[in-house]
Amino acid sequence: EVQLVESGGGLAKPGGSLRLSCAASGFTFTNAWMSWVRQAPGKGLQWVGQIKSKTGGGTTDYAAPVEGRFTISRDDSKNTVYLQMNSLKTEDTGTYYCTRDWSGPGDYWGQGTMVTVSS
Amino acid sequence: DIQMTQSPSSLSASVGDRVTITCRASQGISNDLGWFQQKPGKAPKRLIHAASSQQSGVPSRFSGSGSGTEFTLTISSLQPEDFATYYCLQYNIYPPTFGQGTKVEIK
């Protein structure tokens, strides 16, 4: 059974940092492309970024609002993908989901972790 | 970025009704489109990928069609557990972009 479990959310001040983790199980993680998707409270879904598998080049892509502030990485030995969020803004507040990507983002989703950016 | 316009933004329907939701892309995206269902407080769940391919385990009453710029999600006979918000997602041209969502409510 595919499982994705996010952690690391919480409260951060504007300008601060947080690192989210997503632990994966139930599939061959090394072959998987992974994305992060977020949802502001009461709003729709927004794709944040993606990391390809090492065999796919291991490269990353980001949405414009987070480019240069957020970094996605992966540790295939731990079956984990990370989202390092720096220079946080109040508009980064929301629930962050990691997804396994196959035939596009969102094949499977984690339960999400809440990030609140507030002074 | 490609704009995905969903319609309607909300609808009221009864159990047993046939429901159709439309997504229009601002430019052609081949069939690189998915449909997602989200219930309150829960993570989204993919129903359809590649415009018309059902995700494993999804009831057959959910179907998708379209290519290019016009896509539809059809629920053939609405069930109580189908009341939720539905989103489309294009992944043909990066960044992937979602529609704004369609909330399906009980009439």
Side-chain angles (χ1 to χ4, degrees):
Chain A
E1 179 195 3
V2 172
Q3 281 201 320
L4 299 170
V5 179
E6 300 95 337
S7 60
L11 177 64
K13 292 189 184 328
S17 298
L18 277 177
R19 188 178 84 153
L20 308 184
S21 300
C22 171
S25 60
F27 62 98
T28 305
F29 182 77
T30 52
N31 293 341
W33 295 23
M34 303 293 292
S35 282
W36 288 93
V37 175
R38 69 183 179 183
Q39 187 170 38
K43 303 296 184 184
L45 301 168
Q46 181 183 37
W47 179 83
V48 171
Q50 182 187 63
I51 187 165
K52 297 180 177 63
S53 63
K54 295 265 190 318
T55 54
T59 56
T60 52
D61 290 289
Y62 299 96
V66 308
E67 180 93 54
R69 300 188 298 122
F70 289 13
T71 302
I72 300 174
S73 60
R74 62 190 298 155
D75 184 338
D76 288 350
S77 68
K78 295 183 178 178
N79 285 5
T80 300
V81 62
Y82 303 98
L83 179 64
Q84 177 68 44
M85 304 187 294
N86 297 332
S87 302
L88 282 162
K89 304 177 180 181
T90 55
E91 54 263 41
D92 295 320
T93 293
T95 299
Y96 284 71
Y97 299 98
C98 77
T99 79
R100 187 186 80 168
D101 298 348
W102 175 80
S103 187
D107 178 25
Y108 284 91
W109 297 63
Q111 86 287 351
T113 188
M114 183 68 198
V115 170
T116 303
V117 183
S118 173
S119 54
Chain B
D1 296 1
I2 292 183
Q3 299 259 32
M4 302 301 295
T5 304
Q6 263 183 258
S7 60
S9 54
S10 65
L11 64 92
S12 294
S14 301
V15 172
D17 283 354
R18 181 181 182 89
V19 168
T20 298
I21 298 168
T22 296
C23 210
R24 178 177 291 114
S26 58
Q27 64 187 81
I29 58 169
S30 185
N31 68 335
D32 294 329
L33 184 113
W35 287 99
F36 297 82
Q37 177 194 66
Q38 187 179 32
K39 296 180 181 178
K42 300 293 187 183
K45 170 188 168 186
R46 192 164 74 177
L47 305 173
I48 302 288
H49 63 97
S52 59
S53 296
Q54 261 191 342
Q55 196 81 359
S56 176
V58 169
S60 59
R61 62 181 180 274
F62 292 96
S63 63
S65 64
S67 68
T69 60
E70 292 276 340
F71 301 87
T72 58
L73 173 71
T74 300
I75 309 172
S76 60
S77 177
L78 198 66
Q79 297 301 300
E81 60 268 30
D82 301 338
F83 292 95
T85 300
Y86 294 84
Y87 296 92
C88 62
L89 168 70
Q90 74 78 24
Y91 48 91
N92 180 259
I93 295 176
Y94 274 53
T97 44
F98 287 91
Q100 80 277 17
T102 296
K103 187 171 185 179
V104 176
E105 299 176 303
I106 302 172
K107 187 183 255 184

